[in-house]
């Protein structure tokens, strides 16, 4: 047990907001910290056995956009049918071309590094999550 500890709260379950808790946790664990991620509300999407997450530019107005789209897109872009799926596909493609690990890979890395993964019991009850929907290493 280390005397260095880090607690992270995961509250968002979109593709773009799923990366920070896993990147921070895996890095801290590699540096010798005892790490715990507490998942609550929409962060539960990151605990599902099969993640099918999308990018959400509405929740992230600072997201870099292709030239010329950066000013208006976060406001009206997601109102265009199918645009969120297109943006998700573009983001996944760019991440793959740059060699960025998937969220599943980062989550597995965290579990392998003994990052404690804790689910909020109130959220389980509120949204009627079944333990069978979530990864096996979740604690409540």
């Amino acid at each position: 047990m280390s005397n260095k500890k880090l607690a992270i709260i995961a509250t968002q379950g979109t593709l773009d907001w799923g990366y920070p808790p896993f990147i921070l946790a895996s890095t801290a664990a590699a540096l010798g910290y005892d790490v715990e991620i507490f998942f609550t509300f929409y962060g539960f999407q990151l605990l599902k056995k099969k993640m099918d997450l999308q990018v959400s530019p509405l929740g992230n107005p600072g997201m870099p956009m292709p030239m010329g789209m950066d000013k208006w897109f976060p406001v009206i872009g997601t109102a265009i049918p199918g645009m969120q799926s297109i943006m998700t596909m573009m983001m996944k493609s760019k991440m793959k071309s740059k060699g960025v690990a998937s969220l599943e890979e980062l989550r597995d890395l965290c579990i392998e590094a003994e990052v404690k993964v804790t689910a909020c019991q109130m959220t389980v009850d509120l949204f009627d999550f079944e333990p069978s929907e979530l990864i096996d290493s979740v604690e409540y």
Side-chain angles (χ1 to χ4, degrees):
M1 178 174 250
S2 172
N3 63 350
K4 301 184 292 185
K5 301 179 186 320
L6 177 65
I8 300 167
I9 301 172
T11 62
Q12 301 295 320
T14 59
L15 180 65
D16 46 330
W17 283 99
Y19 275 88
F22 292 131
I23 290 170
L24 292 169
S26 60
T27 301
L31 293 172
Y33 282 71
D34 288 330
V35 184
E36 177 175 359
I37 308 174
F38 183 80
F39 294 83
T40 188
F41 280 86
Y42 311 117
F44 258 61
Q45 301 304 315
L46 302 173
L47 293 177
K48 287 189 170 183
K49 287 180 180 172
K50 181 166 177 8
M51 288 190 269
D52 186 25
L53 305 179
Q54 301 244 330
V55 171
S56 177
L58 286 178
N60 190 1
M63 177 184 287
M65 301 299 293
M67 186 90 90
M69 295 176 69
D70 55 337
K71 291 183 177 29
W72 61 267
F73 191 84
V75 178
I76 63 169
T78 55
I80 301 168
M83 199 55 165
Q84 187 166 338
S85 294
I86 291 169
M87 288 184 61
T88 298
M89 183 181 65
M90 289 170 60
M91 178 68 85
K92 286 181 177 180
S93 176
K94 182 160 187 115
M95 289 174 148
K96 186 175 181 178
S97 74
K98 298 288 185 177
V100 175
S102 71
L103 281 173
E104 290 86 354
E105 291 169 328
L106 283 174
R107 180 177 67 189
D108 290 346
L109 179 67
C110 286
I111 292 166
E112 188 178 308
E114 299 181 4
V115 170
K116 186 176 176 187
V117 176
T118 304
C120 171
Q121 185 63 53
M122 183 201 71
T123 303
V124 170
D125 297 340
L126 181 66
F127 293 115
D128 297 318
F129 279 103
E130 293 294 327
S132 62
E133 294 177 75
L134 306 178
I135 58 173
D136 295 332
S137 55
V138 174
E139 297 182 29
Y140 299 90

